[in-house]
Amino acid sequence: MCRAFSFNKVVNPRYRLTIAGAPSVVHARIGMFFSLRYASKYLEQRFSKGVRTTATLIYVVQTIFYTGVVVYAPALALNQVTGFDLWGSIFATGIVCTFYCTLGGLKAVVWTDAFQMVVMVVGFLTVLIQGSSRAGGVEKVWQTALKGSRLDIFDFDPDPLRRHTFWTVSVGGAFTWLGIYGVNQSTIQRCISCKSERHAKLALYLNLLGLLVITFCAVMSGLVMYAFYAQCDPWSAGIVQASDQLMPYFVMEILENYPGLPGLFVACAFSGTLSTVAASINALATVTYEDFVKQCCDLSDKAGTWISKGLCVLFGVVCTTMAVTASLMGGIVQAALSIHGMFGGPMLGLFSLGILFPCTNSKGAAGGLILGITLSFWAGVGAFIYPALDSKTRPLPLTTGGCGAVVNTTVLPVSSEATSVRPLLADYWYSMSYLYYSAVGFIATVTGGLLITWLTGSTPTEDVKPWLIRPVCDLFCFWSEKYKRMCWCGVDHMEDNLDLDSQIVHTQEKSPDHENCLRKEPVGTGWSYDLQKASYTNAGFIKDTQL
């Protein structure tokens, strides 16, 4: 394993107070994963190979489900804008993503992501400018949204059955995004492709800025669309068949007199899809090759390259096929976040058990993960089978009063107040906001893991590598050696033993090319990867002559 950075700054007392928030937690974890290169390797070193394999399988299933939803989203847009067959759109999207991911690897994913970000912003701005103009101006949009209670941001209702309140978005959303940015291999893989840890952290912060821009544009587009259809909601009127078709329908109406601009919106939708799908396919191929294929076979670089490309094709086909199932999962945004919550919460809990609690053993980690997955899936699948009643979720009202004779009463959305027999849990546990799935999985995993550890005995201190843990109490006990020793559960916490750079090399077998992976930067810049020699073989740095 190539030396990448010095971890001393993270454990130095004067820096410890800076890692108290969610961004800082991810900031600290990038350090560990940057040297390990794969999140799953951490689980094997901290717990066991069985825990690593289980977590990898869960990640593979999560990514396949999520990617299916992502492929389905722009196909709806293309179908609404061009009339192109829905299933033809799905398979065309999957083929394009698989093609350039297989040929270009991670390098192609990163460069196309940068270009696609620009296309997405331009598409959003086009919709915002023209939509605001057609809706009567920005002030009219704002007043209409305010009158319709669409700007009630600070809704402090603690009821967990409400879909969107201040607490569901801030608390539930925090756990969901921590799972995405803290332990998801797709994100980690992009970070470790940077040439140094400093660049990886900078990339994360720039990503946060880009995410805020995209989210702001999406929210404002929703407000503009609501103001435009304030008197005639196309979905309630039966003009469109799914709520996810509202935005494409809106684009076609406001840009119908501008040839080419509806196509720009489709390009915007497809840009987001290509970015996510290509990264997911590449990450699936990476973890499968590293955690399964490479563990079973001793392959040459050439054979590994072809197997990696074959895995990209295989997962491209599987993810595209899964998009058919995604059409049955309801709203796209809710489906995507539900998947991240049901899988990501328990995975976040698993890594937190390893990093924050030195006493956790492999039995506790495995048992906690199983418990977390079970509870989060119980809630998520139950909500899919028994959708929450409107009386529980209390959705904001929509009107069709201004539609006149356009209303098609034969295709109005079916009310969730159906009189079918419902179990008692359907109106409580299954009606919980989908944003809480991640929190449920996280809490269940950590609680179950600690309980099982207490029943089966803590991990012996000599078996815990100090550079793989950062106890949660360490944030508050940095001023006292006594309490610091207590929260480290007897593990040697001296800074000389916490340098991941120097220790990780001795815990793994050195490859023949190990020395070639290291290159020294000019004084003051530290160590960093030489990606041409140290990167994963499907990362887009392979010359044609190697094939």
Side-chain angles (χ1 to χ4, degrees):
M1 178 60 62
C2 305
R3 187 169 183 171
F5 69 101
S6 174
F7 208 70
N8 286 334
K9 286 186 177 181
V10 176
V11 298
N12 194 301
R14 67 176 180 272
Y15 288 93
R16 283 184 181 140
L17 284 177
T18 66
I19 59 175
S24 301
V25 172
V26 178
H27 186 278
R29 291 185 181 189
I30 285 298
M32 293 184 181
F33 297 145
F34 198 89
S35 279
L36 291 169
R37 294 183 62 203
Y38 302 103
S40 59
K41 280 188 177 181
Y42 172 85
L43 297 176
E44 182 173 356
Q45 290 199 15
R46 177 65 178 86
F47 297 118
S48 66
K49 190 172 183 178
V51 174
R52 173 183 179 176
T53 302
T54 303
T56 299
L57 289 174
I58 291 174
Y59 169 76
V60 169
V61 175
Q62 171 193 1
T63 307
I64 290 174
F65 272 99
Y66 173 67
T67 307
V69 173
V70 174
V71 171
Y72 175 67
L76 272 178
L78 189 64
N79 171 258
Q80 183 69 36
V81 172
T82 66
F84 195 71
D85 182 71
L86 178 61
W87 306 116
S89 303
I90 289 175
F91 290 111
T93 304
I95 291 171
V96 170
C97 293
T98 303
F99 177 75
Y100 82 76
C101 179
T102 301
L103 294 183
L106 184 59
K107 191 173 184 180
V109 172
V110 172
W111 279 106
T112 52
D113 278 2
F115 174 74
Q116 288 155 5
M117 172 68 177
V118 176
V119 175
M120 290 171 66
V121 173
V122 172
F124 268 125
L125 290 178
T126 303
V127 172
L128 286 174
I129 295 173
Q130 180 63 13
S132 299
S133 176
R134 292 285 301 274
V138 176
E139 185 177 356
K140 177 69 178 301
V141 169
W142 191 262
Q143 292 299 325
T144 303
L146 188 63
K147 184 178 179 181
S149 302
R150 264 59 183 182
L151 297 177
D152 191 8
I153 301 174
F154 299 104
D155 180 359
F156 294 103
D157 186 351
D159 186 359
L161 305 186
R162 292 282 304 278
R163 278 293 176 267
H164 302 112
T165 65
F166 176 85
W167 301 115
T168 57
V169 173
S170 59
V171 177
F175 281 101
T176 301
W177 286 105
L178 271 175
I180 295 173
Y181 281 93
V183 298
N184 189 282
Q185 177 63 28
S186 298
T187 303
I188 293 170
Q189 183 170 310
R190 298 187 192 195
C191 291
I192 64 175
S193 68
C194 299
K195 68 178 183 180
S196 67
E197 182 215 354
R198 180 167 169 260
H199 285 80
K201 292 176 179 178
L202 178 61
L204 268 181
Y205 289 123
L206 290 176
N207 175 269
L208 176 61
L209 178 62
L211 181 63
L212 290 175
V213 171
I214 293 296
T215 302
F216 175 79
C217 290
V219 171
M220 292 306 298
S221 296
L223 293 179
V224 170
M225 185 166 57
Y226 171 73
F228 188 81
Y229 292 122
Q231 302 303 318
C232 178
D233 174 47
W235 182 41
S236 301
I239 300 173
V240 297
Q241 305 304 311
S243 59
D244 296 309
Q245 291 180 316
L246 282 170
M247 190 65 176
Y249 179 79
F250 174 60
V251 170
M252 286 300 297
E253 188 161 353
I254 64 173
L255 299 177
E256 60 182 350
N257 297 324
Y258 298 88
L261 288 186
L264 177 63
F265 170 75
V266 174
C268 169
F270 267 89
S271 291
T273 296
L274 294 175
S275 169
T276 303
V277 173
S280 298
I281 292 174
N282 192 273
L284 285 169
T286 300
V287 297
T288 302
Y289 179 79
E290 288 291 328
D291 288 12
F292 298 111
V293 177
K294 202 172 180 180
Q295 301 296 321
C296 301
C297 309
D298 185 13
L299 302 170
S300 64
D301 290 342
K302 183 177 181 179
T305 299
W306 282 107
I307 290 176
S308 298
K309 292 180 181 295
L311 288 172
C312 281
V313 174
L314 173 63
F315 282 117
V317 173
V318 173
C319 292
T320 303
T321 306
M322 186 56 61
V324 178
T325 305
S327 64
L328 306 174
M329 297 179 67
I332 291 173
V333 174
Q334 179 170 330
L337 292 179
S338 296
I339 291 171
H340 275 308
M342 290 187 291
F343 288 96
M347 291 291 287
L348 177 65
L350 176 64
F351 279 92
S352 298
L353 280 172
I355 296 174
L356 302 179
F357 301 97
C359 61
T360 308
N361 59 28
S362 59
K363 295 179 181 178
L369 179 61
I370 293 173
L371 178 62
I373 285 287
T374 301
L375 287 181
S376 59
F377 257 78
W378 183 19
V381 175
F384 175 75
I385 298 174
Y386 299 101
L389 302 177
D390 289 347
S391 59
K392 299 293 182 180
T393 59
R394 287 179 278 169
L396 294 174
L398 297 168
T399 181
T400 59
C403 297
V406 178
V407 180
N408 184 353
T409 57
T410 61
V411 291
L412 283 173
V414 178
S415 173
S416 59
E417 302 283 356
T419 58
S420 59
V421 178
R422 295 167 59 89
L424 180 63
L425 288 176
D427 294 334
Y428 297 96
W429 178 247
Y430 299 157
S431 296
M432 175 176 55
S433 173
Y434 65 94
L435 290 173
Y436 280 137
Y437 295 161
S438 183
V440 168
F442 173 83
I443 294 172
T445 300
V446 172
T447 304
L450 293 177
L451 181 60
I452 294 174
T453 296
W454 179 70
L455 294 174
T456 59
S458 302
T459 302
T461 56
E462 61 272 13
D463 293 340
V464 180
K465 302 175 180 64
W467 57 91
L468 296 179
I469 58 176
R470 293 294 174 269
V472 62
C473 299
D474 206 32
L475 295 173
F476 312 104
C477 304
F478 61 88
W479 64 84
S480 170
E481 281 297 322
K482 174 183 176 182
Y483 292 111
K484 194 186 300 182
R485 286 193 298 270
M486 183 184 303
C487 72
W488 279 75
C489 301
V491 179
D492 189 356
H493 62 277
M494 299 302 293
E495 288 189 11
D496 291 340
N497 295 323
L498 299 179
D499 188 351
L500 180 61
D501 248 2
S502 60
Q503 298 289 352
I504 196 171
V505 173
H506 300 293
T507 63
Q508 299 180 354
E509 295 181 1
K510 293 184 178 180
S511 64
D513 296 329
H514 173 74
E515 295 300 328
N516 294 330
C517 291
L518 302 179
R519 63 179 174 89
K520 199 166 185 178
E521 298 285 350
V523 176
T525 60
W527 292 82
S528 63
Y529 278 120
D530 182 351
L531 284 182
Q532 299 291 333
K533 295 179 179 179
S535 62
Y536 167 54
T537 54
N538 191 36
F541 294 114
I542 304 167
K543 297 179 180 180
D544 293 339
T545 54
Q546 290 179 256
L547 302 179

